[in-house]
Amino acid sequence: HLHALCSATMFVFLSTDHTVSGSVVKGKVGQNITVPCFYSVKTKKDITSMCWGRGHCPVSKCYQAIIWTDGWSVTEQHNSRYMLKGNLHMGDVSLTIVNAEEADSGIYCCRVEILGWFNDQTSNHEVVIEKARISTASPHTYTSEQTS
């Protein structure tokens, strides 16, 4: 009896491990940052809706959704700095954050809606935006040194 319970929990672990993947994306303030997310498109029938949201992926949909696509085009966009620049029809639903700010740091959820119960492909991505180094942001001191 104990053995059956053990193998059942192992299966659950494997199945959740399979659907939830992720990445860490680092960038600097002012850069354009791309958070990768893809799904398999073999025929037009595979093209499907998806969303990006802030925070870990919930059971369904996206928390604090920032962008939705029906698979063919973007249907909802809550901030012009968040965009999908990849080829949607080929399953490239990577998120581009334009002119990144420190406030953009955090976890992002990519959810691809696949027909059937609990078939959605989800991935959690950590975005880390660091301040740009002072030296590159201040050429002013360099020119004043030259003149002295």
Side-chain angles (χ1 to χ4, degrees):
H1 183 71
L2 189 68
H3 178 71
L5 184 75
C6 199
S7 57
T9 49
M10 183 65 179
F11 170 74
V12 169
F13 172 73
L14 285 173
S15 63
T16 53
D17 194 46
H18 174 71
T19 51
V20 178
S21 57
S23 62
V24 177
V25 180
K26 293 185 177 181
K28 290 194 165 49
V29 170
Q31 288 180 338
N32 289 3
I33 313 295
T34 299
V35 189
C37 193
F38 302 89
Y39 70 97
S40 175
V41 174
K42 293 184 179 73
T43 68
K44 282 185 178 178
K45 285 181 183 170
D46 296 327
I47 294 173
T48 184
S49 55
M50 65 81 58
C51 60
W52 277 96
R54 297 295 298 254
H56 288 274
C57 293
V59 176
S60 67
K61 308 296 181 191
C62 289
Y63 285 135
Q64 296 176 11
I66 51 181
I67 207 158
W68 272 96
T69 162
D70 59 6
W72 299 95
S73 61
V74 172
T75 53
E76 227 178 282
Q77 188 180 13
H78 292 273
N79 188 323
S80 57
R81 291 193 308 107
Y82 296 128
M83 46 182 69
L84 302 180
K85 289 185 165 184
N87 187 336
L88 298 179
H89 310 159
M90 300 298 288
D92 181 357
V93 289
S94 301
L95 176 73
T96 299
I97 303 171
V98 178
N99 193 13
E101 301 168 0
E102 275 187 272
D104 293 321
S105 296
I107 303 290
Y108 288 77
C109 164
C110 173
R111 175 182 293 273
V112 178
E113 298 192 302
I114 294 166
L115 278 175
W117 285 92
F118 303 114
N119 278 350
D120 288 4
Q121 177 188 307
T122 56
S123 51
N124 295 306
H125 306 265
E126 185 180 358
V127 172
V128 181
I129 309 296
E130 298 164 339
K131 279 184 184 147
R133 293 235 170 82
I134 307 297
S135 56
T136 55
S138 53
H140 183 72
T141 40
Y142 179 68
T143 46
S144 61
E145 274 174 9
Q146 271 189 323
T147 50
S148 58

